[in-house]
Amino acid sequence: MKINKNYNLFFGMIVFAALVLYGLLLVGNDVWYDEAYTFGIIRRGFGDICRITAADVHPPLYYILLKIFAAPFSDKLLISKIFSIIPMLIIMITGGIQLKRIFNKNVSLCFMALFLIFPFMISYSVEIRMYSLAAMFVFLTALYGYKSYEEGRTSDFILFGVFGVSAAYTHYFALVSISIVYLIVLICILKYKRELLRKWIICAVLTIIAYIPWIGCFLRQIAFKVNNEYWIEPITKKTIIEYLRDTFASGDSKVLIYFAELIFAMLFLNVLFSGGRKERNISVCAVIIWAGTILLGVIASFVVRPIFVIRYSIPAIPVFLAFAAVAIANMRPREIQAAAAIIIVISGINNYVKIFEKEREYWDIGFRDEFAESYSYADCYVIADASEKIKAEHYKGVLAYYETEKLIYSYQPVTTAIPFANVVSMRDFKTEENDTVILLKYWNTSIPDEFLENYTYSYKGKVATDSYFSTMDIYELVKKEKS
């Protein structure tokens, strides 16, 4: 079948395939800490959302939109996953339509297919975090940045600014990506279309003005993370290699990862030296947006302190895939084009199988609704935070997702960045108010002395949060009778 004659059929088939593949990933019903954190935030009021995120490391727009979207529904887990899928579909469909207009039908379908099977996007398609939304806003910012430059319409500049502000309020590295987009558009205008400079300046100024309410929060967060402990590890040569592995993940097949990395490098060289001027210029800009986001994150991590992990580049991935679609659609000879496409498809399928299995499996010893039901008779939970080998925050957060009624006491400070309403400081614990306590502690640590004095204990088993390798022992503490 010829693409030109059957374009609409292929377009519909890819969208249908996306609905099926994304839909299958909805089977999972476990949450990990970051997702539990999301639920903790959207259970709060809008004022609290802004207050909590101001003390956290992400802006508030995703949480606000998710809270509004999920409000009418009782199954918050399922609807929140669907909320993550919707931006993915918007990117795919909008990209397909617009790249057809900018280039041709081949590029349009290549982009849609690449976006659907690209491992890094599939991995985060149903994750209850802001990455797919940030990716949508960055992609639309880049798209309308191009349209603003190419067509010069005021309406395009307005959408350019609206999507840029939205990206900045969704993720800080989305802010980095759209800043690169703004700069590229400015350079192109100064070089080729100076008559558009006034519109660009107005757009940029209004974008900055719209972001002013959050700039203070952004600067305070940077200052806090620079001067305090932060979970991101220092970036090393090994880290950079892992970045490439994660970006082009192929179900952990090292051979496929190497092939995928080689193919994308070849695609870039091909479009750089063999593509037409339009294809070359747009592809180079797309790669700069993606690579620039990573490079600035790495540089900041070396100069200031580690603040970047590779998933923060996700907002720029759809723009990167636009380059790949242009390159693969124009690759010659056809045999090499077919071979590249086959390897990319195999890598995507291999990775999808892995992601599907991950979503489908259950943590055998993990938190679930049944865990909370098993200890419905207890008065409260206590998380002992004595071991650095356990991410105690993960236990508190995931438990707070399943157990919303009982208090969860923490030995670690409960800061304003913690959204869980029922997680409280251990200093508020009162023995006289708690006859039965469920204590979670690392296996080689001791039960705190204050409990040994007032409670008898019995071992109940183990529990994990989002890792088989991170488990805590469960102890039931029953208050001693006074003699």
Side-chain angles (χ1 to χ4, degrees):
M1 291 190 294
K2 293 184 178 180
I3 287 180
N4 285 334
K5 291 184 178 180
N6 299 279
Y7 172 79
N8 290 336
L9 174 62
F10 286 127
F11 188 102
M13 288 173 62
I14 295 174
V15 173
F16 177 76
L19 291 172
V20 172
L21 293 178
Y22 292 148
L24 289 173
L25 294 180
L26 295 175
V27 296
N29 62 357
D30 279 358
V31 301
W32 70 296
Y33 174 73
D34 282 12
E35 293 175 318
Y37 191 94
T38 296
F39 285 112
I41 289 183
I42 67 172
R43 285 169 178 166
R44 311 294 284 266
F46 291 107
D48 283 342
I49 289 176
C50 292
R51 177 182 59 80
I52 292 168
T53 52
D56 187 37
V57 293
H58 296 299
L61 183 59
Y62 165 76
Y63 302 111
I64 291 171
L65 294 179
L66 176 58
K67 181 178 178 65
I68 295 170
F69 184 79
F73 303 95
S74 57
D75 190 340
K76 303 298 184 188
L77 179 62
L78 177 62
I79 203 64
S80 296
K81 290 190 173 192
I82 292 173
F83 184 75
S84 293
I85 290 175
I86 291 173
M88 306 285 282
L89 294 172
I90 291 174
I91 294 170
M92 177 187 296
I93 294 170
T94 304
I97 293 171
Q98 293 298 332
L99 289 175
K100 174 189 169 186
R101 295 172 181 172
I102 296 170
F103 295 105
N104 53 53
K105 294 176 180 179
N106 288 346
V107 174
S108 168
L109 295 177
C110 276
F111 172 79
M112 295 175 71
L114 276 171
F115 182 79
L116 176 59
I117 64 173
F118 192 70
F120 214 24
M121 295 310 299
I122 292 176
S123 301
Y124 291 89
S125 58
V126 294
E127 184 163 298
I128 305 169
R129 296 296 286 163
M130 68 288 297
Y131 299 110
S132 65
L133 186 68
M136 182 188 77
F137 285 137
V138 170
F139 182 73
L140 293 175
T141 302
L143 175 62
Y144 280 94
Y146 171 80
K147 290 168 71 71
S148 297
Y149 164 76
E150 192 68 26
E151 301 173 19
R153 294 180 301 198
T154 300
S155 59
D156 289 330
F157 272 100
I158 291 172
L159 290 173
F160 178 38
V162 168
F163 291 129
V165 171
S166 299
Y169 272 104
T170 303
H171 195 281
Y172 289 131
F173 277 93
L175 170 62
V176 173
S177 297
I178 64 107
S179 297
I180 297 172
V181 174
Y182 273 62
L183 180 60
I184 289 173
V185 174
L186 173 62
I187 291 172
C188 293
I189 287 174
L190 290 174
K191 190 170 183 179
Y192 300 110
K193 294 186 176 181
R194 286 181 174 269
E195 67 273 15
L196 297 178
L197 181 59
R198 180 172 174 273
K199 288 185 177 180
W200 183 93
I201 292 173
I202 292 172
C203 178
V205 169
L206 290 177
T207 299
I208 293 170
I209 291 173
Y211 200 62
I212 283 176
W214 197 255
I215 287 178
C217 299
F218 174 55
L219 295 176
R220 284 195 297 273
Q221 288 174 8
I222 290 177
F224 178 81
K225 297 305 178 188
V226 168
N227 295 300
N228 292 273
E229 292 295 324
Y230 196 34
W231 62 269
I232 296 179
E233 298 293 330
I235 294 177
T236 62
K237 180 180 178 180
K238 181 182 178 182
T239 309
I240 302 298
I241 294 173
E242 289 175 349
Y243 284 173
L244 292 173
R245 183 201 67 191
D246 291 342
T247 300
F248 300 99
S250 303
D252 286 340
S253 170
K254 291 184 179 180
V255 173
L256 285 175
I257 291 172
Y258 293 147
F259 269 117
E261 292 170 356
L262 178 62
I263 284 171
F264 279 94
M266 289 173 55
L267 288 175
F268 183 67
L269 292 174
N270 181 72
V271 78
L272 194 63
F273 294 107
S274 303
R277 179 180 176 183
K278 183 178 182 179
E279 288 80 6
R280 181 173 61 251
N281 290 344
I282 291 179
S283 295
V284 168
C285 289
V287 172
I288 287 174
I289 293 166
W290 168 72
T293 302
I294 297 174
L295 183 61
L296 289 173
V298 171
I299 291 173
S301 295
F302 278 119
V303 173
V304 183
R305 64 162 299 132
I307 61 170
F308 181 78
V309 291
I310 194 59
R311 69 172 177 268
Y312 292 170
S313 70
I314 289 174
I317 289 291
V319 180
F320 171 76
L321 293 179
F323 129 73
V326 171
I328 202 168
N330 290 279
M331 178 175 275
R332 300 293 183 275
R334 293 296 185 186
E335 290 79 9
I336 296 179
Q337 181 189 55
I342 289 171
I343 291 174
I344 292 172
V345 169
I346 292 173
S347 297
I349 292 173
N350 198 40
N351 191 70
Y352 181 85
V353 170
K354 176 191 173 186
I355 298 301
F356 177 74
E357 288 298 321
K358 181 180 178 182
E359 288 295 329
R360 189 172 62 87
E361 71 184 0
Y362 289 89
W363 299 114
D364 293 336
I365 51 175
F367 285 125
R368 314 191 59 74
D369 290 322
E370 293 85 352
F371 179 87
E373 292 172 4
S374 298
Y375 300 106
S376 59
Y377 57 86
D379 296 306
C380 68
Y381 297 88
V382 173
I383 309 290
D385 311 305
S387 176
E388 294 181 357
K389 296 181 180 180
I390 292 292
K391 295 180 179 179
E393 289 298 329
H394 286 215
Y395 280 86
K396 284 174 274 190
V398 178
L399 178 57
Y401 167 75
Y402 289 105
E403 177 59 85
T404 59
E405 301 298 326
K406 294 183 176 66
L407 292 179
I408 301 168
Y409 289 94
S410 168
Y411 279 87
Q412 292 178 340
V414 179
T415 67
T416 54
I418 295 177
F420 312 108
N422 58 332
V423 174
V424 296
S425 173
M426 191 61 201
R427 66 172 176 266
D428 297 324
F429 182 88
K430 293 180 174 59
T431 301
E432 60 272 17
E433 295 178 359
N434 297 288
D435 294 329
T436 304
V437 176
I438 301 301
L439 171 71
L440 304 179
K441 72 173 192 64
Y442 189 53
W443 66 271
N444 67 347
T445 60
S446 302
I447 295 176
D449 291 340
E450 59 266 34
F451 289 113
L452 293 176
E453 293 174 4
N454 298 297
Y455 293 85
T456 59
Y457 63 88
S458 59
Y459 176 72
K460 293 295 182 179
K462 295 181 180 295
V463 68
T465 53
D466 43 29
S467 171
Y468 286 117
F469 307 105
S470 176
T471 62
M472 275 189 172
D473 286 337
I474 308 168
Y475 283 86
E476 179 187 287
L477 308 180
V478 179
K479 189 161 58 176
K480 296 177 180 178
E481 296 182 3
K482 292 183 179 180
S483 55

